[in-house]
Structures are given as C-alpha cells and as structure tokens.
PDB file of all heavy atoms in Angstrom:
ATOM      1  N   SER A   1       6.368  -4.353  13.009  1.00 76.00           N
ATOM      2  CA  SER A   1       7.227  -5.304  12.664  1.00 76.00           C
ATOM      3  C   SER A   1       8.593  -5.136  13.260  1.00 76.00           C
ATOM      4  O   SER A   1       9.091  -3.961  13.282  1.00 76.00           O
ATOM      5  CB  SER A   1       7.406  -5.388  11.101  1.00 76.00           C
ATOM      6  OG  SER A   1       8.520  -6.168  10.703  1.00 76.00           O
ATOM      7  N   ALA A   2       9.208  -6.088  13.777  1.00 70.00           N
ATOM      8  CA  ALA A   2      10.578  -5.975  14.394  1.00 70.00           C
ATOM      9  C   ALA A   2      11.576  -5.530  13.279  1.00 70.00           C
ATOM     10  O   ALA A   2      12.610  -4.779  13.597  1.00 70.00           O
ATOM     11  CB  ALA A   2      11.070  -7.279  15.043  1.00 70.00           C
ATOM     12  N   ALA A   3      11.309  -5.868  12.059  1.00 68.00           N
ATOM     13  CA  ALA A   3      12.270  -5.635  10.983  1.00 68.00           C
ATOM     14  C   ALA A   3      11.977  -4.248  10.295  1.00 68.00           C
ATOM     15  O   ALA A   3      12.937  -3.582  10.018  1.00 68.00           O
ATOM     16  CB  ALA A   3      12.218  -6.722   9.941  1.00 68.00           C
ATOM     17  N   LEU A   4      10.744  -3.907  10.164  1.00 75.00           N
ATOM     18  CA  LEU A   4      10.405  -2.758   9.337  1.00 75.00           C
ATOM     19  C   LEU A   4       9.733  -1.674  10.137  1.00 75.00           C
ATOM     20  O   LEU A   4       9.335  -0.571   9.625  1.00 75.00           O
ATOM     21  CB  LEU A   4       9.390  -3.174   8.277  1.00 75.00           C
ATOM     22  CG  LEU A   4       9.952  -4.122   7.223  1.00 75.00           C
ATOM     23  CD1 LEU A   4       8.983  -4.612   6.176  1.00 75.00           C
ATOM     24  CD2 LEU A   4      11.183  -3.571   6.436  1.00 75.00           C
ATOM     25  N   GLY A   5       9.532  -1.849  11.436  1.00 78.00           N
ATOM     26  CA  GLY A   5       8.935  -0.827  12.308  1.00 78.00           C
ATOM     27  C   GLY A   5       7.459  -0.597  12.272  1.00 78.00           C
ATOM     28  O   GLY A   5       6.764  -1.632  11.978  1.00 78.00           O
ATOM     29  N   LYS A   6       6.874   0.544  12.485  1.00 83.00           N
ATOM     30  CA  LYS A   6       5.414   0.669  12.485  1.00 83.00           C
ATOM     31  C   LYS A   6       4.917   0.763  11.033  1.00 83.00           C
ATOM     32  O   LYS A   6       5.471   1.298  10.127  1.00 83.00           O
ATOM     33  CB  LYS A   6       5.012   2.066  13.202  1.00 83.00           C
ATOM     34  CG  LYS A   6       5.418   2.114  14.658  1.00 83.00           C
ATOM     35  CD  LYS A   6       4.714   3.176  15.345  1.00 83.00           C
ATOM     36  CE  LYS A   6       5.285   4.566  14.993  1.00 83.00           C
ATOM     37  NZ  LYS A   6       4.603   5.694  15.680  1.00 83.00           N
ATOM     38  N   GLY A   7       3.642   0.088  10.927  1.00 83.00           N
ATOM     39  CA  GLY A   7       3.099   0.016   9.670  1.00 83.00           C
ATOM     40  C   GLY A   7       1.542  -0.375   9.782  1.00 83.00           C
ATOM     41  O   GLY A   7       0.922  -0.192  10.805  1.00 83.00           O
ATOM     42  N   TRP A   8       1.037  -0.978   8.747  1.00 85.00           N
ATOM     43  CA  TRP A   8      -0.397  -1.248   8.701  1.00 85.00           C
ATOM     44  C   TRP A   8      -0.466  -2.749   8.070  1.00 85.00           C
ATOM     45  O   TRP A   8       0.298  -3.249   7.240  1.00 85.00           O
ATOM     46  CB  TRP A   8      -1.117  -0.363   7.794  1.00 85.00           C
ATOM     47  CG  TRP A   8      -0.927   1.083   8.129  1.00 85.00           C
ATOM     48  CD1 TRP A   8      -1.588   1.868   8.946  1.00 85.00           C
ATOM     49  CD2 TRP A   8       0.101   1.954   7.762  1.00 85.00           C
ATOM     50  NE1 TRP A   8      -1.160   3.113   9.023  1.00 85.00           N
ATOM     51  CE2 TRP A   8      -0.012   3.180   8.242  1.00 85.00           C
ATOM     52  CE3 TRP A   8       1.284   1.688   6.904  1.00 85.00           C
ATOM     53  CZ2 TRP A   8       0.850   4.249   8.051  1.00 85.00           C
ATOM     54  CZ3 TRP A   8       2.172   2.728   6.642  1.00 85.00           C
ATOM     55  CH2 TRP A   8       1.963   3.935   7.276  1.00 85.00           C
ATOM     56  N   ARG A   9      -1.559  -3.405   8.513  1.00 86.00           N
ATOM     57  CA  ARG A   9      -2.014  -4.628   7.870  1.00 86.00           C
ATOM     58  C   ARG A   9      -3.189  -4.311   7.023  1.00 86.00           C
ATOM     59  O   ARG A   9      -4.286  -3.965   7.610  1.00 86.00           O
ATOM     60  CB  ARG A   9      -2.342  -5.698   8.978  1.00 86.00           C
ATOM     61  CG  ARG A   9      -2.942  -7.014   8.504  1.00 86.00           C
ATOM     62  CD  ARG A   9      -2.096  -7.885   7.603  1.00 86.00           C
ATOM     63  NE  ARG A   9      -0.702  -8.050   8.031  1.00 86.00           N
ATOM     64  CZ  ARG A   9       0.194  -8.799   7.438  1.00 86.00           C
ATOM     65  NH1 ARG A   9      -0.306  -9.562   6.431  1.00 86.00           N
ATOM     66  NH2 ARG A   9       1.471  -8.765   7.768  1.00 86.00           N
ATOM     67  N   LEU A  10      -3.101  -4.309   5.754  1.00 85.00           N
ATOM     68  CA  LEU A  10      -4.139  -3.919   4.774  1.00 85.00           C
ATOM     69  C   LEU A  10      -4.857  -5.224   4.191  1.00 85.00           C
ATOM     70  O   LEU A  10      -4.091  -6.095   3.839  1.00 85.00           O
ATOM     71  CB  LEU A  10      -3.566  -3.125   3.667  1.00 85.00           C
ATOM     72  CG  LEU A  10      -3.011  -1.836   4.165  1.00 85.00           C
ATOM     73  CD1 LEU A  10      -2.273  -1.081   2.891  1.00 85.00           C
ATOM     74  CD2 LEU A  10      -3.951  -0.839   4.742  1.00 85.00           C
ATOM     75  N   GLY A  11      -6.101  -5.219   4.097  1.00 84.00           N
ATOM     76  CA  GLY A  11      -6.889  -6.333   3.537  1.00 84.00           C
ATOM     77  C   GLY A  11      -7.616  -5.859   2.302  1.00 84.00           C
ATOM     78  O   GLY A  11      -8.130  -4.805   2.243  1.00 84.00           O
ATOM     79  N   PHE A  12      -7.476  -6.740   1.231  1.00 82.00           N
ATOM     80  CA  PHE A  12      -8.093  -6.320  -0.132  1.00 82.00           C
ATOM     81  C   PHE A  12      -8.911  -7.432  -0.659  1.00 82.00           C
ATOM     82  O   PHE A  12      -8.903  -8.636  -0.126  1.00 82.00           O
ATOM     83  CB  PHE A  12      -6.951  -6.043  -1.142  1.00 82.00           C
ATOM     84  CG  PHE A  12      -6.062  -4.937  -0.761  1.00 82.00           C
ATOM     85  CD1 PHE A  12      -4.784  -5.118  -0.090  1.00 82.00           C
ATOM     86  CD2 PHE A  12      -6.412  -3.597  -1.048  1.00 82.00           C
ATOM     87  CE1 PHE A  12      -4.032  -4.131   0.310  1.00 82.00           C
ATOM     88  CE2 PHE A  12      -5.553  -2.557  -0.594  1.00 82.00           C
ATOM     89  CZ  PHE A  12      -4.333  -2.802   0.010  1.00 82.00           C
ATOM     90  N   LEU A  13      -9.675  -7.224  -1.622  1.00 77.00           N
ATOM     91  CA  LEU A  13     -10.493  -8.286  -2.312  1.00 77.00           C
ATOM     92  C   LEU A  13      -9.698  -9.198  -3.245  1.00 77.00           C
ATOM     93  O   LEU A  13     -10.217 -10.236  -3.553  1.00 77.00           O
ATOM     94  CB  LEU A  13     -11.734  -7.608  -3.053  1.00 77.00           C
ATOM     95  CG  LEU A  13     -12.637  -6.794  -2.119  1.00 77.00           C
ATOM     96  CD1 LEU A  13     -13.759  -6.192  -2.954  1.00 77.00           C
ATOM     97  CD2 LEU A  13     -13.168  -7.660  -1.059  1.00 77.00           C
ATOM     98  N   GLY A  14      -8.596  -8.783  -3.615  1.00 76.00           N
ATOM     99  CA  GLY A  14      -7.738  -9.587  -4.552  1.00 76.00           C
ATOM    100  C   GLY A  14      -6.388  -8.800  -4.730  1.00 76.00           C
ATOM    101  O   GLY A  14      -6.092  -7.724  -4.342  1.00 76.00           O
ATOM    102  N   SER A  15      -5.528  -9.521  -5.437  1.00 75.00           N
ATOM    103  CA  SER A  15      -4.093  -9.053  -5.647  1.00 75.00           C
ATOM    104  C   SER A  15      -4.048  -7.818  -6.567  1.00 75.00           C
ATOM    105  O   SER A  15      -3.208  -6.908  -6.337  1.00 75.00           O
ATOM    106  CB  SER A  15      -3.251 -10.162  -6.242  1.00 75.00           C
ATOM    107  OG  SER A  15      -3.803 -10.765  -7.365  1.00 75.00           O
ATOM    108  N   LEU A  16      -4.996  -7.740  -7.592  1.00 75.00           N
ATOM    109  CA  LEU A  16      -4.994  -6.582  -8.397  1.00 75.00           C
ATOM    110  C   LEU A  16      -5.507  -5.381  -7.593  1.00 75.00           C
ATOM    111  O   LEU A  16      -4.940  -4.183  -7.779  1.00 75.00           O
ATOM    112  CB  LEU A  16      -5.927  -6.764  -9.627  1.00 75.00           C
ATOM    113  CG  LEU A  16      -6.255  -5.535 -10.493  1.00 75.00           C
ATOM    114  CD1 LEU A  16      -4.812  -5.113 -11.201  1.00 75.00           C
ATOM    115  CD2 LEU A  16      -7.202  -5.854 -11.582  1.00 75.00           C
ATOM    116  N   HIS A  17      -6.422  -5.550  -6.770  1.00 77.00           N
ATOM    117  CA  HIS A  17      -6.936  -4.530  -5.815  1.00 77.00           C
ATOM    118  C   HIS A  17      -5.786  -4.003  -5.000  1.00 77.00           C
ATOM    119  O   HIS A  17      -5.691  -2.764  -4.836  1.00 77.00           O
ATOM    120  CB  HIS A  17      -8.039  -5.178  -4.874  1.00 77.00           C
ATOM    121  CG  HIS A  17      -8.760  -4.088  -4.090  1.00 77.00           C
ATOM    122  ND1 HIS A  17      -9.557  -4.532  -2.973  1.00 77.00           N
ATOM    123  CD2 HIS A  17      -8.858  -2.789  -4.169  1.00 77.00           C
ATOM    124  CE1 HIS A  17     -10.072  -3.409  -2.483  1.00 77.00           C
ATOM    125  NE2 HIS A  17      -9.664  -2.411  -3.165  1.00 77.00           N
ATOM    126  N   ALA A  18      -4.987  -4.877  -4.414  1.00 80.00           N
ATOM    127  CA  ALA A  18      -3.820  -4.411  -3.650  1.00 80.00           C
ATOM    128  C   ALA A  18      -2.818  -3.619  -4.442  1.00 80.00           C
ATOM    129  O   ALA A  18      -2.288  -2.608  -4.065  1.00 80.00           O
ATOM    130  CB  ALA A  18      -3.101  -5.712  -2.990  1.00 80.00           C
ATOM    131  N   SER A  19      -2.600  -4.116  -5.706  1.00 78.00           N
ATOM    132  CA  SER A  19      -1.589  -3.446  -6.532  1.00 78.00           C
ATOM    133  C   SER A  19      -2.030  -2.046  -6.959  1.00 78.00           C
ATOM    134  O   SER A  19      -1.295  -1.028  -6.969  1.00 78.00           O
ATOM    135  CB  SER A  19      -1.438  -4.328  -7.847  1.00 78.00           C
ATOM    136  OG  SER A  19      -0.615  -3.612  -8.751  1.00 78.00           O
ATOM    137  N   VAL A  20      -3.337  -1.941  -7.190  1.00 79.00           N
ATOM    138  CA  VAL A  20      -3.937  -0.659  -7.700  1.00 79.00           C
ATOM    139  C   VAL A  20      -3.877   0.283  -6.446  1.00 79.00           C
ATOM    140  O   VAL A  20      -3.536   1.533  -6.588  1.00 79.00           O
ATOM    141  CB  VAL A  20      -5.333  -0.767  -8.196  1.00 79.00           C
ATOM    142  CG1 VAL A  20      -6.080   0.485  -8.225  1.00 79.00           C
ATOM    143  CG2 VAL A  20      -5.304  -1.437  -9.459  1.00 79.00           C
ATOM    144  N   PHE A  21      -4.209  -0.137  -5.175  1.00 82.00           N
ATOM    145  CA  PHE A  21      -4.211   0.686  -4.049  1.00 82.00           C
ATOM    146  C   PHE A  21      -2.813   1.205  -3.800  1.00 82.00           C
ATOM    147  O   PHE A  21      -2.686   2.534  -3.502  1.00 82.00           O
ATOM    148  CB  PHE A  21      -4.659  -0.158  -2.820  1.00 82.00           C
ATOM    149  CG  PHE A  21      -4.767   0.677  -1.596  1.00 82.00           C
ATOM    150  CD1 PHE A  21      -6.085   1.261  -1.276  1.00 82.00           C
ATOM    151  CD2 PHE A  21      -3.794   0.875  -0.691  1.00 82.00           C
ATOM    152  CE1 PHE A  21      -6.140   2.023  -0.091  1.00 82.00           C
ATOM    153  CE2 PHE A  21      -3.908   1.581   0.446  1.00 82.00           C
ATOM    154  CZ  PHE A  21      -5.183   2.169   0.777  1.00 82.00           C
ATOM    155  N   LYS A  22      -1.791   0.406  -3.928  1.00 82.00           N
ATOM    156  CA  LYS A  22      -0.377   0.891  -3.753  1.00 82.00           C
ATOM    157  C   LYS A  22       0.004   1.941  -4.791  1.00 82.00           C
ATOM    158  O   LYS A  22       0.589   3.023  -4.425  1.00 82.00           O
ATOM    159  CB  LYS A  22       0.565  -0.293  -3.819  1.00 82.00           C
ATOM    160  CG  LYS A  22       2.007   0.088  -3.683  1.00 82.00           C
ATOM    161  CD  LYS A  22       2.875  -1.170  -3.776  1.00 82.00           C
ATOM    162  CE  LYS A  22       4.343  -0.789  -3.608  1.00 82.00           C
ATOM    163  NZ  LYS A  22       4.898  -0.165  -4.776  1.00 82.00           N
ATOM    164  N   GLU A  23      -0.428   1.728  -6.077  1.00 80.00           N
ATOM    165  CA  GLU A  23      -0.131   2.650  -7.137  1.00 80.00           C
ATOM    166  C   GLU A  23      -0.871   3.938  -6.902  1.00 80.00           C
ATOM    167  O   GLU A  23      -0.290   5.006  -7.133  1.00 80.00           O
ATOM    168  CB  GLU A  23      -0.471   2.039  -8.422  1.00 80.00           C
ATOM    169  CG  GLU A  23       0.116   2.721  -9.587  1.00 80.00           C
ATOM    170  CD  GLU A  23      -0.069   1.912 -10.928  1.00 80.00           C
ATOM    171  OE1 GLU A  23      -0.165   0.674 -10.809  1.00 80.00           O
ATOM    172  OE2 GLU A  23      -0.099   2.527 -12.009  1.00 80.00           O
ATOM    173  N   ARG A  24      -2.143   3.913  -6.426  1.00 80.00           N
ATOM    174  CA  ARG A  24      -2.777   5.210  -6.203  1.00 80.00           C
ATOM    175  C   ARG A  24      -2.214   5.865  -5.087  1.00 80.00           C
ATOM    176  O   ARG A  24      -2.111   7.176  -5.171  1.00 80.00           O
ATOM    177  CB  ARG A  24      -4.360   4.816  -5.833  1.00 80.00           C
ATOM    178  CG  ARG A  24      -5.115   4.478  -6.999  1.00 80.00           C
ATOM    179  CD  ARG A  24      -6.577   4.425  -6.608  1.00 80.00           C
ATOM    180  NE  ARG A  24      -7.127   5.676  -6.236  1.00 80.00           N
ATOM    181  CZ  ARG A  24      -8.336   5.825  -5.722  1.00 80.00           C
ATOM    182  NH1 ARG A  24      -9.085   4.857  -5.468  1.00 80.00           N
ATOM    183  NH2 ARG A  24      -8.742   7.121  -5.453  1.00 80.00           N
ATOM    184  N   LEU A  25      -1.702   5.310  -4.004  1.00 81.00           N
ATOM    185  CA  LEU A  25      -1.117   5.992  -2.891  1.00 81.00           C
ATOM    186  C   LEU A  25       0.150   6.633  -3.313  1.00 81.00           C
ATOM    187  O   LEU A  25       0.408   7.776  -2.883  1.00 81.00           O
ATOM    188  CB  LEU A  25      -0.746   4.913  -1.844  1.00 81.00           C
ATOM    189  CG  LEU A  25      -0.471   5.475  -0.448  1.00 81.00           C
ATOM    190  CD1 LEU A  25      -1.605   6.255   0.157  1.00 81.00           C
ATOM    191  CD2 LEU A  25      -0.043   4.385   0.532  1.00 81.00           C
ATOM    192  N   GLU A  26       0.939   6.066  -4.197  1.00 80.00           N
ATOM    193  CA  GLU A  26       2.179   6.578  -4.686  1.00 80.00           C
ATOM    194  C   GLU A  26       1.883   7.804  -5.721  1.00 80.00           C
ATOM    195  O   GLU A  26       2.540   8.767  -5.504  1.00 80.00           O
ATOM    196  CB  GLU A  26       2.966   5.473  -5.399  1.00 80.00           C
ATOM    197  CG  GLU A  26       3.584   4.508  -4.484  1.00 80.00           C
ATOM    198  CD  GLU A  26       4.320   3.334  -5.077  1.00 80.00           C
ATOM    199  OE1 GLU A  26       4.217   3.304  -6.279  1.00 80.00           O
ATOM    200  OE2 GLU A  26       4.956   2.601  -4.392  1.00 80.00           O
ATOM    201  N   LYS A  27       0.901   7.636  -6.542  1.00 79.00           N
ATOM    202  CA  LYS A  27       0.690   8.640  -7.563  1.00 79.00           C
ATOM    203  C   LYS A  27      -0.095   9.758  -6.964  1.00 79.00           C
ATOM    204  O   LYS A  27       0.157  11.051  -7.380  1.00 79.00           O
ATOM    205  CB  LYS A  27       0.004   8.047  -8.776  1.00 79.00           C
ATOM    206  CG  LYS A  27       0.927   7.052  -9.520  1.00 79.00           C
ATOM    207  CD  LYS A  27       0.147   6.561 -10.763  1.00 79.00           C
ATOM    208  CE  LYS A  27       1.036   5.602 -11.619  1.00 79.00           C
ATOM    209  NZ  LYS A  27       2.198   6.278 -12.094  1.00 79.00           N
ATOM    210  N   GLU A  28      -1.070   9.469  -6.185  1.00 77.00           N
ATOM    211  CA  GLU A  28      -1.945  10.620  -5.771  1.00 77.00           C
ATOM    212  C   GLU A  28      -1.419  11.359  -4.519  1.00 77.00           C
ATOM    213  O   GLU A  28      -1.852  12.450  -4.218  1.00 77.00           O
ATOM    214  CB  GLU A  28      -3.369  10.025  -5.469  1.00 77.00           C
ATOM    215  CG  GLU A  28      -4.016   9.578  -6.779  1.00 77.00           C
ATOM    216  CD  GLU A  28      -5.475   8.881  -6.461  1.00 77.00           C
ATOM    217  OE1 GLU A  28      -6.059   9.194  -5.404  1.00 77.00           O
ATOM    218  OE2 GLU A  28      -5.738   7.975  -7.170  1.00 77.00           O
ATOM    219  N   TYR A  29      -0.577  10.634  -3.661  1.00 78.00           N
ATOM    220  CA  TYR A  29      -0.181  11.230  -2.448  1.00 78.00           C
ATOM    221  C   TYR A  29       1.368  11.277  -2.287  1.00 78.00           C
ATOM    222  O   TYR A  29       1.843  11.913  -1.416  1.00 78.00           O
ATOM    223  CB  TYR A  29      -0.720  10.528  -1.294  1.00 78.00           C
ATOM    224  CG  TYR A  29      -2.216  10.614  -1.163  1.00 78.00           C
ATOM    225  CD1 TYR A  29      -3.081   9.680  -1.624  1.00 78.00           C
ATOM    226  CD2 TYR A  29      -2.777  11.679  -0.539  1.00 78.00           C
ATOM    227  CE1 TYR A  29      -4.479   9.737  -1.594  1.00 78.00           C
ATOM    228  CE2 TYR A  29      -4.227  11.811  -0.396  1.00 78.00           C
ATOM    229  CZ  TYR A  29      -4.969  10.773  -0.929  1.00 78.00           C
ATOM    230  OH  TYR A  29      -6.360  11.017  -0.811  1.00 78.00           O
ATOM    231  N   GLY A  30       2.097  10.681  -3.331  1.00 77.00           N
ATOM    232  CA  GLY A  30       3.554  10.725  -3.296  1.00 77.00           C
ATOM    233  C   GLY A  30       4.159   9.903  -2.097  1.00 77.00           C
ATOM    234  O   GLY A  30       5.266  10.061  -1.836  1.00 77.00           O
ATOM    235  N   SER A  31       3.359   8.979  -1.623  1.00 75.00           N
ATOM    236  CA  SER A  31       3.844   8.028  -0.475  1.00 75.00           C
ATOM    237  C   SER A  31       4.543   6.822  -1.078  1.00 75.00           C
ATOM    238  O   SER A  31       4.105   6.203  -1.968  1.00 75.00           O
ATOM    239  CB  SER A  31       2.731   7.530   0.406  1.00 75.00           C
ATOM    240  OG  SER A  31       2.052   8.728   0.896  1.00 75.00           O
ATOM    241  N   LYS A  32       5.596   6.450  -0.491  1.00 78.00           N
ATOM    242  CA  LYS A  32       6.438   5.253  -0.828  1.00 78.00           C
ATOM    243  C   LYS A  32       6.213   4.116   0.146  1.00 78.00           C
ATOM    244  O   LYS A  32       6.563   4.406   1.391  1.00 78.00           O
ATOM    245  CB  LYS A  32       7.870   5.578  -1.030  1.00 78.00           C
ATOM    246  CG  LYS A  32       8.178   6.686  -2.159  1.00 78.00           C
ATOM    247  CD  LYS A  32       7.776   6.100  -3.591  1.00 78.00           C
ATOM    248  CE  LYS A  32       7.999   7.036  -4.707  1.00 78.00           C
ATOM    249  NZ  LYS A  32       7.659   6.487  -6.016  1.00 78.00           N
ATOM    250  N   LEU A  33       5.863   3.002  -0.278  1.00 78.00           N
ATOM    251  CA  LEU A  33       5.552   1.903   0.677  1.00 78.00           C
ATOM    252  C   LEU A  33       6.464   0.705   0.371  1.00 78.00           C
ATOM    253  O   LEU A  33       6.892   0.408  -0.753  1.00 78.00           O
ATOM    254  CB  LEU A  33       4.129   1.403   0.533  1.00 78.00           C
ATOM    255  CG  LEU A  33       2.899   2.159   1.121  1.00 78.00           C
ATOM    256  CD1 LEU A  33       1.622   1.588   0.794  1.00 78.00           C
ATOM    257  CD2 LEU A  33       3.125   2.222   2.683  1.00 78.00           C
ATOM    258  N   ILE A  34       6.738  -0.051   1.384  1.00 79.00           N
ATOM    259  CA  ILE A  34       7.211  -1.390   1.372  1.00 79.00           C
ATOM    260  C   ILE A  34       6.071  -2.383   1.538  1.00 79.00           C
ATOM    261  O   ILE A  34       5.473  -2.246   2.611  1.00 79.00           O
ATOM    262  CB  ILE A  34       8.368  -1.691   2.362  1.00 79.00           C
ATOM    263  CG1 ILE A  34       9.620  -0.758   2.093  1.00 79.00           C
ATOM    264  CG2 ILE A  34       8.752  -3.118   2.299  1.00 79.00           C
ATOM    265  CD1 ILE A  34      10.601  -0.823   3.176  1.00 79.00           C
ATOM    266  N   ILE A  35       5.744  -3.208   0.592  1.00 79.00           N
ATOM    267  CA  ILE A  35       4.619  -4.092   0.611  1.00 79.00           C
ATOM    268  C   ILE A  35       5.227  -5.562   0.864  1.00 79.00           C
ATOM    269  O   ILE A  35       5.998  -5.960   0.095  1.00 79.00           O
ATOM    270  CB  ILE A  35       3.650  -4.011  -0.519  1.00 79.00           C
ATOM    271  CG1 ILE A  35       3.085  -2.621  -0.711  1.00 79.00           C
ATOM    272  CG2 ILE A  35       2.641  -5.094  -0.475  1.00 79.00           C
ATOM    273  CD1 ILE A  35       2.112  -2.314   0.311  1.00 79.00           C
ATOM    274  N   THR A  36       4.743  -6.165   1.948  1.00 81.00           N
ATOM    275  CA  THR A  36       5.114  -7.551   2.139  1.00 81.00           C
ATOM    276  C   THR A  36       4.367  -8.549   1.169  1.00 81.00           C
ATOM    277  O   THR A  36       3.439  -8.098   0.486  1.00 81.00           O
ATOM    278  CB  THR A  36       4.837  -7.967   3.595  1.00 81.00           C
ATOM    279  OG1 THR A  36       3.452  -7.950   3.753  1.00 81.00           O
ATOM    280  CG2 THR A  36       5.492  -7.152   4.564  1.00 81.00           C
TER     281      THR A  36
END
C-alpha cells in the first residue's frame, strides 16, 4: 500500500473469523496489526 507500506491481503470465511485471527496473532505472537 502506498499509505501503509508492505503487508498482506488476508481472506476469511466471515468477519468473526477475521476478528479471531487478528486477536490470536496479537495474543499468541505479540504482533500488532493495522487491519483495513
């Protein structure tokens, strides 16, 4: 992204699925994400 730099395009089965994935990434690996 020109605004946010290098990142990923992630595909999920639903919005809860996306929310849980972000939360697991933060809690299990300590990673902080900006999610569009």
Side-chain angles (χ1 to χ4, degrees):
S1 164
L4 298 174
K6 291 194 295 183
W8 308 266
R9 174 64 42 174
L10 300 172
F12 301 95
L13 299 180
S15 51
L16 176 63
H17 189 197
S19 173
V20 166
F21 186 89
K22 178 178 182 289
E23 196 170 332
R24 286 189 66 189
L25 194 64
E26 291 176 349
K27 290 183 180 296
E28 295 176 29
Y29 295 95
S31 300
K32 296 296 181 182
L33 279 179
I34 297 175
I35 297 290
T36 63

